[in-house]
Amino acid sequence: FERLVVWRQEAARAAAMLPVELCSDRDLAVIAGALPRSAEELAAVTGFGPLTAARLFPPIRSALDDAGSLRDR
């Protein structure tokens, strides 16, 4: 979950928006619990539209992968 929060802060800063405008804490919690493996799964668990899910999935997957590799140490 923490790695997703960091990703959201960085992505929001780059887009000049508030982190909560990108996605909510609830969305992050759902993503952390579901560990989606595709943009379609991300859309299904969050309610993001297909374009938003397709745009956000790669960096979210990367954040989840980073978090997993940190846990495995």
Side-chain angles (χ1 to χ4, degrees):
F1 180 81
E2 292 82 16
R3 183 64 190 104
L4 288 171
V5 171
V6 171
W7 160 78
R8 181 181 64 176
Q9 290 171 336
E10 293 170 354
R13 188 177 307 116
M17 60 193 312
L18 295 173
V20 73
E21 292 175 312
L22 190 58
C23 61
S24 69
D25 287 342
R26 180 193 169 283
D27 290 328
L28 294 183
V30 167
I31 293 166
L35 303 174
R37 295 179 183 260
S38 67
E40 293 78 15
E41 286 183 17
L42 178 62
V45 299
T46 61
F48 293 162
L51 294 178
T52 299
R55 179 174 54 86
L56 295 180
F57 178 73
I60 287 173
R61 183 75 249 170
S62 179
L64 292 171
D65 290 345
D66 289 350
S69 66
L70 292 175
R71 268 195 313 270
D72 294 341
R73 290 183 186 178

